Amino acid sequence: MFVIVFVIVAGLTKAKASNYTPFLPHGARGVFSAASVLFFAYLGFDAVATMAEETKNPGRDIPIGLVGSMTICTILYCLMGLTLCLMQKYTNINDDAPFSIAFRDVGWKWAQYIVALGALKGMTTVLLVGNVGQARYLTHIARTHMIPPWFALVNKRTGTPINATVVMVLASCVIAFFSSLNILSNLLSISTLFIFMLVAVALLVRRHYVTQQTSTHHRNLLTFFLLTIIGTSIAIATYWAKSSGWVGYLVLVPIWFLATAGLAYFVPEARKPKTWGVPLVPWIPSLSIATNIFLLGSIDKNSFIRFAVWTVVMFIYYFFFGLHASYDTALKKSDQSDPTKVAEEGKIRQTFEFLTVDSLNHTLQ
C-alpha cells in the first residue's frame, strides 16, 4: 500500500496533461478490448467468498469484504492508470515494467527500485491469495467426490486443506513456466467472464425458482425471460464485434430491458435471502449477464477455441464421472440425515448381526 500511494503521489508531481492527447487513441473498442483481457485482475474478489468457513461471522463479514475490497481496488486501479498515462505518453509505456521505466524516464532513477520492489511484493501476494482461493474451490469440489476426496482432507493442526493447496501451487507453477502470459491472460479472462455470467444466471434461478413450490407457469416465464436476456446480450456483443453502426442497439437494448422488467413484475420471488442478499434483483444480475457477455465479444477467436476445447473436456469428465459421483455422495448424505432411514438401516443391521451370530452358534453346536 505504501508503494501504491508513493507511485500515485510522486507520479502525479511529474504529470503532463499533454500526454492525454489524444484521449482515446484506439477509440471505445480499444477500451473494451483491454477491459476484457484485463478482467482477470478482478479474480481476487471471489477468493473472499471462498474463505467463509474460516470467517467468524461470514454473513456480515463476507459481503463487507467483497464490496469493500472491490471498491477500494477499483479506485486504486483508476488512479494508477491515470498516473501512468499522465507521466508518460502511451506510445512510450513499457509493457514489461511500465511504472519503473516511467520513473526512470522522468529522471527519478532511484524510484524505479522502490516501484520494482513493490511490484514484486504485489505479485507474490496475488499469487498466494490466488492459491488460497483455488485450493478452497478444489476442496469443495472434492467434498462432492467429483474429484478424489483426498483433496478435501483438512490438516488437524492448521485447519487448512494442505493437499489441495500443495497440488494447486505445483500445477500453477508448471502451467506458468511453460505457457505464454498473453494466452493465459486471455484464457483466464474468458473463463472468468463466462463463470461470472453463470453466477448471475444462477442467482436469478435461485431467487425465483424453488422445486415443487414454483408453479409451472412461473417456471416457464422464468425460462423465457432468462433465455431472452441471454440471447439479446449475445446479440448485442456480436453486433458490437461485427458492426460499427448503432441501429441494432435501438432494437436489442429495449428487448433486454423488457425481458428484465418482465422477470421483475411477472415472476414472483420464491426465496428470500436470510442474512444478506443482492439488491435490485433482477436488474443487477441481468446487467451483470449483459456486461460479461458484452466483454466476451471483445476477446480474440483463438481464446474462444481454447476455451471451447477445455470446456468440452470438462463436460465429458463431468457427465461420465463427476455427475454420478456427486449424485451418489448427495444421496448418501440425504439418507444419513433422514432419521427414518437411519433407524431402518439400524434395525436391518441389528437383524443381520443377530442372524449372523445365531447361525454361527448353530454351526458351532
Side-chain angles (χ1 to χ4, degrees), residues 273-293:
K274 295 180 180 180
T275 305
W276 188 90
V278 175
L280 297 176
V281 175
W283 294 101
I284 289 181
S286 180
L287 184 61
S288 176
I289 294 171
T291 304
N292 288 315
I293 293 178

Side-chain angles (χ1 to χ4, degrees), residues 26-310:
H26 301 291
R29 293 183 181 275
V31 173
F32 285 108
S33 296
S36 63
V37 173
L38 292 175
F39 198 80
F40 70 89
Y42 282 84
L43 272 178
F45 304 113
D46 61 340
V48 176
T50 67
M51 304 299 292
E53 288 188 7
E54 299 168 48
T55 307
K56 292 182 178 180
N57 188 2
R60 180 184 69 90
D61 297 338
I62 294 298
I64 293 175
L66 280 169
V67 178
S69 60
M70 189 175 297
T71 302
I72 294 171
C73 289
T74 300
I75 294 173
L76 292 177
Y77 286 164
C78 294
L79 288 175
M80 293 281 282
L82 175 72
T83 302
L84 180 62
C85 292
L86 284 173
M87 287 179 64
Q88 202 169 33
K89 194 77 172 178
Y90 76 95
T91 53
N92 298 328
I93 293 176
N94 186 278
D95 294 337
D96 298 322
F99 285 99
S100 298
I101 301 302
F103 274 103
R104 186 195 66 184
D105 291 346
V106 296
W108 286 14
K109 293 183 179 180
W110 58 270
Q112 65 178 325
Y113 300 107
I114 297 179
V115 175
L117 181 63
L120 179 62
K121 174 64 177 174
M123 286 188 289
T124 305
T125 305
V126 168
L127 290 172
L128 289 174
V129 173
N131 282 318
V132 167
Q134 293 300 321
R136 268 65 182 177
Y137 283 133
L138 207 63
T139 302
H140 289 297
I141 295 172
R143 286 174 180 170
T144 65
H145 288 204
M146 281 194 287
I147 59 176
W150 178 82
F151 290 99
L153 296 179
V154 176
N155 186 272
K156 293 181 180 179
R157 184 176 63 86
T158 62
T160 56
I162 290 184
N163 295 343
T165 303
V166 171
V167 170
M168 282 305 305
V169 170
L170 293 177
S172 300
C173 291
V174 172
I175 293 173
F177 188 79
F178 292 102
S179 303
S180 168
L181 177 60
N182 291 332
I183 293 176
L184 286 179
S185 61
N186 284 339
L187 188 58
L188 193 57
S189 292
I190 191 174
S191 302
T192 306
L193 288 165
F194 188 77
I195 291 170
F196 283 7
M197 183 271 294
L198 290 181
V199 169
V201 172
L203 173 62
L204 291 175
V205 173
R206 180 170 176 80
R207 190 69 68 89
H208 291 277
Y209 180 79
V210 175
T211 306
Q212 296 180 349
Q213 293 185 21
T214 305
S215 65
T216 304
H217 174 67
H218 288 148
R219 183 196 64 190
N220 294 337
L221 283 177
L222 173 63
T223 304
F224 171 75
F225 289 133
L226 271 179
L227 291 177
T228 304
I229 291 171
I230 296 173
T232 51
S233 300
I234 294 174
I236 292 172
T238 305
Y239 187 77
W240 166 264
K242 301 293 184 181
S243 174
S244 58
W246 52 270
V247 179
Y249 303 121
L250 295 179
V251 177
L252 296 171
V253 173
I255 296 176
W256 169 86
F257 180 86
L258 292 174
T260 307
L263 182 58
Y265 292 105
F266 294 110
V267 182
E269 289 192 6
R271 184 187 282 110
K272 296 288 185 179
K274 295 180 180 180
T275 305
W276 188 90
V278 175
L280 297 176
V281 175
W283 294 101
I284 289 181
S286 180
L287 184 61
S288 176
I289 294 171
T291 304
N292 288 315
I293 293 178
F294 183 77
L295 290 175
L296 282 171
S298 299
I299 296 180
D300 63 291
K301 183 180 71 172
N302 290 334
S303 297
F304 273 99
I305 295 174
R306 297 185 187 100
F307 177 70
V309 171
W310 183 243

